[in-house]
């Protein structure tokens, strides 16, 4: 089906799940004129979701498609300009939907933060999507929009200031209040268990460039550890007194950012060293908590299930950080700061903040605005296609739309 015959701007696949309902609610409040469809396994449940959204959604079509029904997925993808998938775990359910979109030349977004799934998507469908004019954009929620867009914004700012390329760059999750979906937590823990017991997968997880489009062209910068315990003053003078420790989602987010750099022809610079950390505060106990977080994540990644069973209940959950299994709604919030020193010695920071539970409502907003960017911002999108990152696919266009969704992002030069 050619692009001119598509009757839907966005199809939301997985609309009856908890996250799917949050995304549907966001889309129902979006600008008028968008043609949106709700897709999933049950027509009755999809119709119930549609009724709950009020008058704005009363004419939205319901599309029934099992993840195992390839013809139904192909028909669904052919009707849409953009497909949002909230059906996880993506390693188990995601690839058939990616295949359908890559085949139909349909743009796609999801919330994936699983290295093996994204790597499989790249290996199987990047060329197909590129040939058919599709943008397959993984990781459009709290993982990894703040990570990816903060670095992209720093790149734009330092380029405009002729301040040099990005060098040492560190993401710091400064404040966070909200939940972490139980599914996301379980996916990460299962991946760490499996990786510890599977040498081939362990090698993929250990490679800082495991999602690179051209591994052989990547710079050799020595060790780039995923888990670091650092005093704030080692990152930036502005963080003196703070301690930072291991952040579990850094395992994925750092590779997403490095893939963006490569997809943008290493536009951030070939000396980019990117890490992510979690603020542990500035109390006398902060160094101990920072060290404990590093040992916990490193041990879990190396020793797997046996090690995880020995940990006190709930300890790993604190590294996400805490709150698995509930949604704080508008009471939730986050703020992240990304510090960089350029190759010319200039220092900058990018700050992103958002009201809303990072694991739920804020993530629903982020993937919703990403889909709107793909559907309506086509004159500002990247010309390349294939399996992309948020920054590589939507960079400037998404930066423009984020404020309209209540997401604040600004950059500043530091003294």
């Amino acid at each position: 089906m050619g692009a001119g015959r598509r009757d839907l701007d966005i199809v939301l696949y997985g609309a009856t799940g908890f996250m799917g309902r949050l995304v549907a609610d966001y889309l129902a409040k979006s600008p008028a004129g968008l043609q949106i469809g709700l897709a999933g396994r049950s027509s009755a449940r999809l119709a119930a979701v549609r009724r709950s959204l009020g008058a704005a959604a009363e004419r939205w079509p319901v599309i029934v498609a099992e993840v195992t029904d390839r013809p139904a997925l192909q028909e669904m993808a052919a009707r849409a300009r953009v497909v949002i998938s909230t059906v996880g775990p993506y390693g188990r359910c995601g690839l058939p939907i990616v295949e359908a979109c890559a085949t139909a030349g349909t743009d796609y977004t999801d919330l994936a933060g699983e290295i093996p799934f994204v790597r499989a998507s790249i290996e199987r469908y990047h060329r197909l999507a590129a040939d058919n004019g599709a943008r397959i954009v993984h990781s459009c929620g709290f993982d990894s929009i703040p990570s990816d867009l903060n670095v992209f914004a720093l790149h734009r700012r330092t380029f405009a200031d002729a301040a040099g390329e990005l060098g040492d760059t560190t993401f710091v999750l400064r404040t966070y209040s909200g939940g972490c979906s139980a599914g996301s937590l379980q996916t990460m823990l299962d991946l760490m268990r499996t990786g510890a017991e599977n040498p081939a997968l362990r090698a993929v997880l250990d490679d800082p460039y495991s999602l690179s489009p051209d591994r052989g062209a990547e710079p050799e910068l020595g060790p780039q550890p995923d888990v670091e315990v650092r005093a704030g003053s080692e990152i930036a003078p502005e963080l003196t007194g703070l301690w930072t420790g291991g952040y579990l989602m850094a395992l994925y987010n750092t590779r997403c950012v490095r893939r963006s750099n490569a997809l943008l022809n290493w536009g951030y610079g070939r000396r980019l060293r990117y890490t992510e950390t979690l603020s542990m505060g500035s109390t006398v106990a902060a160094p101990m908590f920072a060290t404990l977080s590093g040992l916990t994540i490193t041990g879990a990644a190396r020793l797997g299930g046996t090690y995880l069973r020995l940990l006190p209940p709930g300890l790993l959950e604190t590294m996400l950080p805490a709150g698995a299994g509930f949604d704080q709604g508008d009471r939730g919030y986050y703020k992240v700061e990304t510090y960089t020193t350029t190759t010319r010695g200039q220092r900058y920071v990018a700050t992103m903040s958002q009201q809303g539970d990072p694991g739920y409502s804020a993530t629903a907003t982020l993937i919703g605005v990403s889909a709107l960017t793909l559907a309506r911002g086509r004159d500002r999108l990247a010309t390349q296609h294939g399996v992309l990152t948020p920054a590589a696919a939507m960079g400037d266009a998404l930066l423009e739309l984020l404020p309209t969704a209540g997401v604040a992002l600004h950059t500043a030069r530091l003294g």
Side-chain angles (χ1 to χ4, degrees):
M1 179 178 290
R5 298 172 58 192
R6 299 177 192 269
D7 64 318
L8 297 172
D9 292 299
I10 298 172
V11 167
L12 171 59
Y13 188 80
T16 61
F18 187 79
M19 181 58 72
R21 287 172 179 262
L22 291 175
V23 177
D25 183 66
Y26 175 82
L27 294 175
K29 298 172 184 175
S30 298
L34 282 173
Q35 303 299 313
I36 297 172
L38 301 177
R41 296 182 298 173
S42 167
S43 60
R45 292 179 63 194
L46 289 167
V49 171
R50 182 175 59 186
R51 286 193 298 272
S52 73
L53 298 173
E58 61 185 2
R59 295 187 179 180
W60 289 5
V62 164
I63 302 169
V64 177
E66 293 273 359
V67 75
T68 55
D69 188 342
R70 188 176 182 184
L73 292 178
Q74 294 284 0
E75 182 178 351
M76 175 193 77
R79 294 183 62 182
R81 290 179 172 82
V82 182
V83 169
I84 301 173
S85 174
T86 60
V87 177
Y90 290 99
R92 187 185 310 158
C93 308
L95 287 176
I97 308 166
V98 172
E99 179 189 32
C101 291
T103 301
T106 298
D107 289 349
Y108 164 98
T109 66
D110 67 21
L111 301 172
E114 307 163 35
I115 294 171
F117 164 71
V118 175
R119 184 180 171 101
S121 174
I122 295 165
E123 291 175 345
R124 298 184 193 183
Y125 302 119
H126 175 75
R127 177 48 53 198
L128 178 65
D131 289 345
N132 291 331
R135 299 176 182 89
I136 306 298
V137 191
H138 299 298
S139 319
C140 289
F142 181 66
D143 301 299
S144 304
I145 294 289
S147 304
D148 210 27
L149 267 293
N150 258 16
V151 178
F152 182 81
L154 285 171
H155 159 63
R156 283 298 196 218
R157 175 65 185 272
T158 56
F159 180 82
D161 290 355
E165 298 176 330
L166 305 185
D168 287 346
T169 303
T170 303
F171 165 109
V172 183
L173 179 53
R174 289 297 304 273
T175 58
Y176 181 114
S177 178
C180 165
S181 73
S184 297
L185 174 60
Q186 193 59 53
T187 296
M188 286 300 299
L189 297 184
D190 287 348
L191 180 60
M192 294 170 81
R193 290 186 183 100
T194 305
E197 297 158 4
N198 182 329
L201 178 58
R202 180 73 260 154
V204 170
L205 298 179
D206 282 346
D207 183 358
Y209 300 110
S210 56
L211 299 182
S212 174
D214 187 351
R215 180 63 183 88
E218 293 288 358
E220 293 299 333
L221 301 176
Q224 298 188 64
D226 292 308
V227 179
E228 288 191 305
V229 177
R230 301 171 70 183
S233 58
E234 297 177 31
I235 299 170
E238 292 76 11
L239 300 180
T240 297
L242 188 76
W243 281 86
T244 66
Y247 177 41
L248 191 54
M249 287 310 299
L251 302 173
Y252 178 82
N253 292 336
T254 53
R255 286 151 180 80
C256 177
V257 169
R258 294 183 193 117
R259 178 169 175 80
S260 291
N261 189 26
L263 287 169
L264 295 169
N265 196 28
W266 291 276
Y268 301 166
R270 298 188 62 81
R271 283 183 276 174
L272 173 73
R273 291 179 58 89
Y274 180 72
T275 58
E276 293 198 349
T277 61
L278 171 66
S279 171
M280 294 294 174
S282 55
T283 67
V284 293
M288 179 186 69
F289 287 128
T291 301
L292 181 60
S293 72
L295 292 174
T296 299
I297 295 176
T298 301
R302 293 292 173 186
L303 302 177
T306 300
Y307 179 89
L308 291 170
R309 286 191 291 272
L310 295 175
L311 295 177
L315 181 58
L316 259 180
E317 286 85 337
T318 65
M319 312 311 165
L320 276 163
F326 66 92
D327 176 18
Q328 290 192 12
D330 289 339
R331 292 176 297 142
Y333 57 86
Y334 69 85
K335 181 171 79 169
V336 301
E337 296 172 347
T338 306
Y339 293 85
T340 194
T341 300
T342 73
T343 53
R344 294 186 179 178
Q346 302 299 316
R347 295 195 306 111
Y348 289 82
V349 63
T351 302
M352 182 184 290
S353 60
Q354 184 183 2
Q355 200 70 27
D357 192 314
Y360 294 100
S361 55
T363 277
T365 296
L366 291 171
I367 195 171
V369 74
S370 295
L372 293 176
T373 302
L374 289 170
R376 289 294 176 89
R378 290 182 173 268
D379 59 332
R380 297 297 311 279
L381 297 177
T383 57
Q384 66 177 316
H385 299 85
V387 179
L388 307 175
T389 60
M394 302 178 286
D396 290 320
L398 187 54
L399 285 180
E400 288 185 7
L401 277 188
L402 283 174
T404 70
V407 181
L409 195 165
H410 64 271
T411 59
R413 182 170 176 174
L414 301 173

